[in-house]
Amino acid sequence: MLSATDRYQRLCQRINAAAIRYGRDPGDVQLVAVSKRQPIDAIRQVADCGQYQFGENYLQEAEAKITALAPRSLEWHFIGQLQSNKTRQAAALFDWVHSVDRVKIAQRLNDQRPASAAPLNICIEVNISGEPGKGGIMPAAVPDFIDSIGDLARIKVRGLMALPAPAADFERQRRAFRRVFSVFTAVEHPAFDTLSMGTSNDFEAAIAEGSTMVRIGTAVFGPRP
Ligand SMILES: *Cc1c(COP(=O)(O)O)cnc(C)c1O
């Protein structure tokens, strides 16, 4: 079995190699280590390797981890589905929320962001595969969505997030990410600098198509317990 350090270093090498292969600057691709369902000790091990951005999906679980690891000043990204009765907790705990797909959620995060904290970074989730019942807004709705949340000073719209339907074939993976990239580049917004896409199974295709932030769990931590 690989040690956490070995696994982490191999993954970082793969991310770097993919960036170079597709003509990207490796410094433009950040890694969010998705630690959902992983114990605090596993997060500590990965943080000891120098990783500081972590992603969580479940608020209650995240709160315990974020509290326990507070002295390390890690950066926490909420990537799960967010219900409106949980926005207060999310706005207090996290530095980023990647899964904003309703104006009401954005408004609540804005209103509930603690005054002592910097504005909350958010990504708008786009449903790129058109899967019904999945999170995310339709690509055509992105400009209006951005207009509707433009006055909210306590959130900072950083870009788009997408989780395309899983595809085994690399070219198909690339096609889905390419669609997200074209939605991303069509937006004219001064703070737009983040394209959050790519998981353990498809991050190389995502990097090839312009991802600036890959969200990787299994390839960092091993299988979730
Ligand atoms: C769990 C999760 C990931 C990471 O998935 P892995 O396959 O473990 O890399 C990325 N994004 C979202 C939204 C997730 O829920």
Side-chain angles (χ1 to χ4, degrees):
M1 224 186 98
L2 282 180
S3 74
T5 315
D6 288 344
R7 205 166 36 226
Y8 179 77
Q9 280 167 358
R10 282 185 191 200
L11 173 66
C12 291
Q13 280 163 8
R14 280 179 68 194
I15 292 172
N16 263 279
I20 290 163
R21 192 175 329 131
Y22 298 107
R24 306 279 316 281
D25 179 344
D28 289 344
V29 184
Q30 297 180 57
L31 167 63
V32 174
V34 176
S35 46
K36 65 177 171 218
R37 286 164 45 202
Q38 298 290 351
I40 291 176
D41 262 350
I43 302 176
R44 279 205 186 92
Q45 283 179 11
V46 171
D48 285 342
C49 300
Q51 176 66 23
Y52 76 100
Q53 294 170 298
F54 290 88
E56 288 283 339
N57 291 57
Y58 312 105
L59 279 167
Q60 223 166 337
E61 178 189 328
E63 181 161 30
K65 293 174 177 176
I66 294 172
T67 309
L69 295 166
R72 291 189 177 235
S73 30
L74 303 173
E75 187 178 275
W76 292 96
H77 295 243
F78 186 77
I79 63 170
Q81 287 199 0
L82 190 54
Q83 282 135 19
S84 52
N85 63 346
K86 299 282 176 59
T87 49
R88 183 177 301 280
Q89 207 182 355
L93 283 171
F94 284 86
D95 302 295
W96 287 71
V97 173
H98 288 230
S99 44
V100 176
D101 61 359
R102 281 186 288 153
V103 172
K104 182 183 165 194
I105 296 279
Q107 280 165 342
R108 290 176 67 94
L109 289 170
N110 178 76
D111 297 347
Q112 295 168 343
R113 179 67 169 169
S116 56
L120 179 68
N121 298 293
I122 69 155
C123 292
I124 300 165
E125 184 175 353
V126 176
N127 182 345
I128 206 68
S129 308
E131 293 170 279
K134 240 187 94 173
I137 66 172
M138 290 302 143
V142 169
D144 281 351
F145 193 97
I146 291 172
D147 282 348
S148 321
I149 63 176
D151 293 335
L152 304 177
R154 300 292 296 146
I155 59 175
K156 189 169 176 189
V157 192
R158 297 292 296 270
L160 302 180
M161 184 272 237
L163 184 66
D169 172 66
F170 187 71
E171 285 309 317
R172 281 180 64 172
Q173 293 175 353
R174 281 191 70 159
R175 276 202 295 278
F177 290 129
R178 196 174 309 150
R179 289 203 300 276
V180 190
F181 184 75
S182 71
V183 180
F184 179 70
T185 50
V187 174
E188 284 175 27
H189 189 288
F192 245 56
D193 59 4
T194 302
L195 189 49
S196 163
M197 59 185 194
T199 68
S200 296
N201 288 324
D202 55 15
F203 69 87
E204 281 148 329
I207 290 169
E209 299 298 340
S211 172
T212 69
M213 209 176 249
V214 291
R215 307 177 311 268
I216 301 183
T218 316
V220 173
F221 291 98
R224 283 181 273 280

